[in-house]
């Protein structure tokens, strides 16, 4: 956001909770204001505080980012009431599409297929049981009030429904303020494919290509790419057309994403609309050479989109790796710690979006996303190879991360061939055999393991290493 | 000094002699080791091969070896022998610890309860996801160290269970 502001000649005002006092965005912004304790409810979700800061700082517009209040219609309303531009769709559009069952109705009215399921939020577990029996197991329980994998549980049998219902209602209530759920038939072997849109206030809606986001765990994305390796020109055109039809019917403005499930026969079903910028937007930026955040600011200021649908040029392939502070090798449990050593990749076609620095304590209060490594190549094979190289170059020490998963996926034959669906993580991870080291790598690792373990004791590592070095040099000279 | 080193699934013996010579599985290794970042990252040159090794985490030890993440441990053999002699394993005793930092939403049991295997004991909210922590076996809750509403660190002891028939 700050980068886009600088490009547009605008000043950026940041806000921060106590947990983010030293965060990078705070230091890079032109002004920054403290808004309260680490708990989101008392800071990043406190609408009054945010609007007060924006007003006091003399802001013209408010960008809600892609977490917290970014899809909250009350926030958008409060911002507009204060006389500021909200960088996102109108509040009533957010409200309409934020209620997932109303969004489904809208899609169906626009002639877009939806997955068989509950037409409205379920009144209770009894209705859930009845609807599940009608559409047939397995089913997916979903929060009616929002997405992002929260309040979402797959249910394979009727016996599992009670427990899943209990957990999903609890999660939905704490994430979205309403425990309401609905359910849909679970489509297995499907791919999660979404279409990026941008719309102005003058009736222009343009789609900017698709992203395949099927590599997920707990319904949260780990790898996203564009173009989708399984999407041909015909399917792409149909998805783009469907997304624009839904957006037009909803009166959509600004950036948004329409999510679909696509089965292995190329049939697609509407899932939901994300009424905000998404984490994975850089993938689209790299293949279209557009700056989506800058476009968001421009259309929010009332400007016309500077291009028409037939002027959108896409080239090459882009892949994003979401590096999270989660222990991939222990079922992606959130980890805590500080960044002890950091080396991020660079080079042609490599972009890293992050706010890390050495010595930084990774806050456990918020989403575990650490960095986004996004690569571009002239074709998918080049992009995959480049992504593999970028991961090989990356060092994030001090806490467990998801990087071992990313390294694995990029070398996996199915991923490399583009053969994957939303079951990829479950069917491939953790790998049956742990990575193996051979020859000099094993020997070297063994020596370093000894040094590292001695480093913990009072002896220090230098003495040993120096002695080894001396011996090795002498040996080399012989 | 002799070490038993584990790297992923492999066990390697490393000997350090008084002259600072290193032997790996009995063979002298003419390695050139450069400590790049103190206590964190090393470069090892060995007969033309080049390896960058980073200590990712200490407990448990994980190394990044040329981009490959592996579990590792190095125990000096005297310590190993000592621990083998004194290891006590009270069977049937389970310490239930928080697998991650979070907010303890619900405590489903109280001290003295007998719970069935897989019965939910705690609901831990982390990153807005609710995780149910379940009983590893049919057991009695002999100690309860957690209260609903408490914020807990990863690894914090929540309860001690004793298996019952």
């Amino acid at each position: 956001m700050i980068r886009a502001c600088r490009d547009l000649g605008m000043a950026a005002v940041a806000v921060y909770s106590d947990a983010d006092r030293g965060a990078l965005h705070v230091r890079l912004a032109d002004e920054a204001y403290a808004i309260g304790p680490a708990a989101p409810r008392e800071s990043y979700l406190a609408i009054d505080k945010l609007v007060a800061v924006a007003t006091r700082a003399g802001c013209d517009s408010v960008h809600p980012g892609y977490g917290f209040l970014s899809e909250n219609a009350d926030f958008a309303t409060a911002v507009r009431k204060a006389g500021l531009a909200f960088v996102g769709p109108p509040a009533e559009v957010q409200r309409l599409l934020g209620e997932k069952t109303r969004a489904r109705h809208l899609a169906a009215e626009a002639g877009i297929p939806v997955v068989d399921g509950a037409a409205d939020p379920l009144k209770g577990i009894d209705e859930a049981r009845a609807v599940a029996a009608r559409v047939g197991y397995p089913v997916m329980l979903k929060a009616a009030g929002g997405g992002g994998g929260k309040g979402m549980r797959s249910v394979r049998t009727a016996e599992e429904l009670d427990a899943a219902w209990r957990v999903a209602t609890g999660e939905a209530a704490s994430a979205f303020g309403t425990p309401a759920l609905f359910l849909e038939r679970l489509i297995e072997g499907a791919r999660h494919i979404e279409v990026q849109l941008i719309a102005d206030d003058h009736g222009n809606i343009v789609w900017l290509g698709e992203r395949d986001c099927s590599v997920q765990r707990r319904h949260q994305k780990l790898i996203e790419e564009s173009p989708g390796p399984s999407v041909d020109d015909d399917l792409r055109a149909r998805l783009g057309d469907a997304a624009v039809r839904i957006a037009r019917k909803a009166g959509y403005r600004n950036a948004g994403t329409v999510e679909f499930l696509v089965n292995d026969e190329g049939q697609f079903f509407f899932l939901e609309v994300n009424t905000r910028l998404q984490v994975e937007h850089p993938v689209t930026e790299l293949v279209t050479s557009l700056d989506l955040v800058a476009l968001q600011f421009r259309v929010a200021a009332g400007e016309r989109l500077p291009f028409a649908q037939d002027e959108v040029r896409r080239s090459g392939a882009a892949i994003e790796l979401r590096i999270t502070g989660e222990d991939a090798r222990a079922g992606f449990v959130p980890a805590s710690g500080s960044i002890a050593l950091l080396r991020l990749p660079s080079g042609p076609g490599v972009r890293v979006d992050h706010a890390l620095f050495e010595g930084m304590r990774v806050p456990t209060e918020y989403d575990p996303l650490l960095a986004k490594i996004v690569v571009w190549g002239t074709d998918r094979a080049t992009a995959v190879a480049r992504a593999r190289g970028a991961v090989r170059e990356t060092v994030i020490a001090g806490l467990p991360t998801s990087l071992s998963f990313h390294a694995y996926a990029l070398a996996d034959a199915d991923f490399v061939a583009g053969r994957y669906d939303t079951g990829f993580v479950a069917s491939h991870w953790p790998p049956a055999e742990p990575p193996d080291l051979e020859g000099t790598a094993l020997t070297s690792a063994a020596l370093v393991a000894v040094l590292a373990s001695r480093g913990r004791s009072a002896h220090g590592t230098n003495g040993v290493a120096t002695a080894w070095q001396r011996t090795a040099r002498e040996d080399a000279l012989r | 000094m002799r070490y038993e080193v584990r790297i992923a699934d492999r066990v390697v013996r490393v000997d350090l002699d008084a002259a600072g010579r290193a032997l790996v599985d009995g063979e002298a290794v003419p390695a050139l080791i450069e400590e790049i970042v103190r206590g964190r990252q090393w470069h090892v040159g060995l007969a033309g091969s080049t390896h960058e090794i980073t200590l990712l985490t200490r407990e448990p030890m994980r190394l990044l070896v040329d981009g490959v993440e592996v579990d590792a441990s190095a125990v000096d053999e005297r310590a190993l022998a000592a621990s083998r002699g004194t290891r006590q394993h009270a069977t049937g005793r389970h310490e239930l610890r928080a697998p991650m930092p979070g907010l303890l939403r619900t405590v489903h049991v109280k001290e003295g309860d007998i719970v069935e295997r897989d019965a939910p004991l705690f609901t831990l909210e982390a990153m807005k996801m609710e995780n149910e922590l379940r009983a590893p076996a049919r057991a009695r809750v002999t100690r309860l160290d957690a209260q609903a509403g408490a914020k807990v660190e990863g690894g914090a002891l929540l309860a001690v269970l004793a298996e019952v028939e």
Side-chain angles (χ1 to χ4, degrees):
Chain A
M1 314 290 142
I2 295 174
R3 286 186 184 124
C5 287
R6 296 247 150 91
D7 284 358
L8 295 169
M10 294 157 57
V13 177
V15 291
Y16 60 98
S17 77
D18 291 348
D20 284 338
R21 243 178 247 151
L24 200 62
H25 77 279
V26 176
R27 289 180 276 145
L28 293 183
D30 296 287
E31 291 175 35
Y33 297 90
I35 50 167
R41 231 177 287 268
E42 298 172 62
S43 48
Y44 295 118
L45 293 176
I47 293 177
D48 294 350
K49 287 184 183 177
L50 293 164
V51 173
V53 165
T55 310
R56 184 158 45 118
C59 296
D60 309 301
S61 60
V62 173
H63 195 301
Y66 44 65
F68 297 120
L69 294 170
S70 58
E71 294 189 281
N72 186 301
D74 294 337
F75 181 53
T77 304
V79 167
R80 292 207 173 89
K81 266 202 186 130
L84 312 171
F86 179 77
V87 184
E92 55 283 9
V93 174
Q94 281 183 315
R95 203 163 275 129
L96 165 67
L97 297 171
E99 282 180 39
K100 301 302 168 189
T101 50
R102 277 177 74 196
R104 272 167 55 99
H105 282 298
L106 183 95
E109 283 164 23
I112 314 301
V114 297
V115 184
D116 196 9
D120 297 297
L122 297 160
K123 287 178 195 75
I125 180 86
D126 291 336
E127 193 187 356
R129 238 179 246 121
V131 177
R134 178 174 64 75
V135 302
Y137 285 93
V139 298
M140 185 70 95
L141 275 180
K142 292 180 173 183
K150 277 140 196 169
M152 204 162 163
R153 283 290 183 284
S154 59
V155 187
R156 308 214 66 86
T157 62
E159 288 70 46
E160 288 175 22
L161 187 64
D162 278 24
W165 177 270
R166 198 173 60 234
V167 177
T169 34
E171 257 179 46
S174 74
F176 310 115
T178 163
L181 302 179
F182 70 106
L183 71 77
E184 289 176 343
R185 183 167 58 87
L186 178 70
I187 300 185
E188 295 187 88
R191 283 166 284 126
H192 174 115
I193 295 183
E194 58 187 32
V195 175
Q196 177 69 53
L197 296 171
I198 182 94
D200 64 19
D201 291 350
H202 310 279
N204 302 303
I205 304 177
V206 170
W207 62 276
L208 301 172
E210 83 287 4
R211 295 182 288 255
D212 188 322
C213 310
S214 301
V215 181
Q216 311 180 347
R217 53 87 187 71
R218 295 199 295 261
H219 315 297
Q220 291 173 347
K221 299 159 189 170
L222 287 165
I223 301 178
E224 301 101 339
E225 62 176 311
S226 184
S230 60
V231 180
D232 60 20
D233 288 343
D234 173 62
L235 177 59
R236 181 174 302 112
R238 286 189 291 134
L239 288 169
D241 175 63
V244 169
R245 259 159 52 207
I246 292 168
R248 200 168 294 288
K249 202 158 182 70
Y252 204 85
R253 314 275 175 79
N254 217 284
T257 301
V258 184
E259 298 189 334
F260 298 96
L261 276 181
V262 181
N263 69 15
D264 48 11
E265 285 151 20
Q267 283 176 296
F268 63 83
F269 303 90
F270 168 81
L271 265 187
E272 62 176 12
V273 182
N274 288 133
T275 58
R276 56 175 165 84
L277 188 71
Q278 281 188 288
V279 173
E280 60 271 26
H281 73 275
V283 167
T284 300
E285 293 186 329
L286 291 188
V287 294
T288 58
S289 303
L290 295 169
D291 180 340
L292 279 169
V293 180
L295 277 172
Q296 282 193 293
F297 279 119
R298 292 174 64 179
V299 296
E303 282 187 40
R304 281 177 183 277
L305 279 178
F307 47 79
Q309 185 66 61
D310 59 6
E311 292 170 310
V312 175
R313 294 281 172 271
R314 293 187 307 274
S315 80
I319 302 175
E320 174 179 280
L321 313 172
R322 285 200 203 187
I323 314 302
T324 62
E326 294 175 309
D327 189 349
R329 296 168 57 211
F332 292 100
V333 295
S336 57
S338 294
I339 307 289
L341 189 62
L342 180 67
R343 184 178 66 210
L344 294 169
S346 62
V350 178
R351 160 178 169 180
V352 186
D353 287 11
H354 74 101
L356 301 175
F357 51 92
E358 279 178 10
M360 171 184 168
R361 187 190 72 87
V362 175
T364 51
E365 289 88 352
Y366 310 125
D367 189 275
L369 184 64
L370 295 177
K372 301 186 275 181
I373 297 175
V374 203
V375 300
W376 180 89
T378 45
D379 53 29
R380 185 171 188 270
T382 312
V384 171
R386 207 164 252 178
R388 211 180 291 131
V391 169
R392 166 74 170 77
E393 220 174 298
T394 305
V395 175
I396 302 176
L399 77 165
T401 70
S402 63
L403 270 163
S404 59
F405 168 78
H406 289 104
Y408 167 85
L410 291 164
D412 175 73
D414 288 330
F415 182 84
V416 170
R419 279 190 310 263
Y420 62 83
D421 56 42
T422 50
F424 180 82
V425 176
S427 62
H428 286 71
W429 188 260
E433 305 214 335
D436 207 9
L437 296 180
E438 293 294 337
T440 57
L442 180 65
T443 306
S444 303
L447 294 176
V448 167
V450 169
L451 293 179
S453 73
R454 287 171 71 107
R456 267 178 302 177
S457 65
H459 308 304
T461 69
N462 270 341
V464 185
T466 314
W468 284 359
Q469 232 158 293
R470 196 174 52 233
T471 319
R473 288 215 180 92
E474 285 161 6
D475 286 349
L477 288 173
R478 267 184 213 138
Chain B
M1 263 307 222
R2 171 170 287 190
Y3 294 84
E4 186 181 290
V5 179
R6 284 170 188 274
I7 304 288
D9 284 350
R10 309 284 203 99
V11 180
V12 179
R13 217 176 60 234
V14 176
D15 288 288
L16 299 184
D17 67 17
R21 208 174 294 266
L23 288 90
V24 173
D25 284 340
E27 294 214 11
V29 182
L32 272 170
I33 302 183
E34 198 68 42
E35 191 174 32
I36 308 294
V37 179
R38 195 180 156 81
R40 265 300 160 188
Q41 194 173 55
W42 292 264
H43 173 260
V44 182
L46 191 57
S49 67
T50 175
H51 302 289
E52 183 191 71
I53 301 171
T54 307
L55 175 63
L56 289 177
T57 58
R58 282 179 209 282
E59 294 281 349
M61 189 192 288
R62 285 189 187 170
L63 299 177
L64 185 68
V65 183
D66 306 325
V68 177
E69 197 178 309
V70 291
D71 291 320
S73 67
V75 185
D76 92 58
E77 287 204 339
R78 280 174 305 185
L80 199 65
S83 80
R84 273 180 190 141
T86 57
R87 181 179 297 172
Q88 286 180 346
H89 219 78
T91 50
R93 182 177 181 274
H94 298 272
E95 291 185 351
L96 200 79
R97 291 176 182 276
M100 63 195 95
L103 179 73
L104 212 51
R105 276 254 166 236
T106 320
V107 177
H108 301 283
V109 291
K110 54 185 192 300
E111 226 166 77
D113 280 3
I114 290 181
V115 293
E116 295 301 322
R117 185 195 164 93
D118 286 333
L121 303 179
F122 302 99
T123 306
L124 181 70
E125 183 187 301
M127 312 283 170
K128 294 203 177 158
M129 305 286 287
E130 292 201 351
N131 305 275
E132 288 208 326
L133 309 182
R134 295 170 180 278
R138 178 174 153 80
R140 181 191 302 278
V141 181
T142 56
R143 184 172 150 192
L144 192 64
D145 269 359
Q147 284 181 331
K151 212 174 148 179
V152 295
E153 293 297 321
L157 182 67
L158 302 178
V160 179
L161 310 180
E163 278 184 36
V164 292
E165 289 301 312

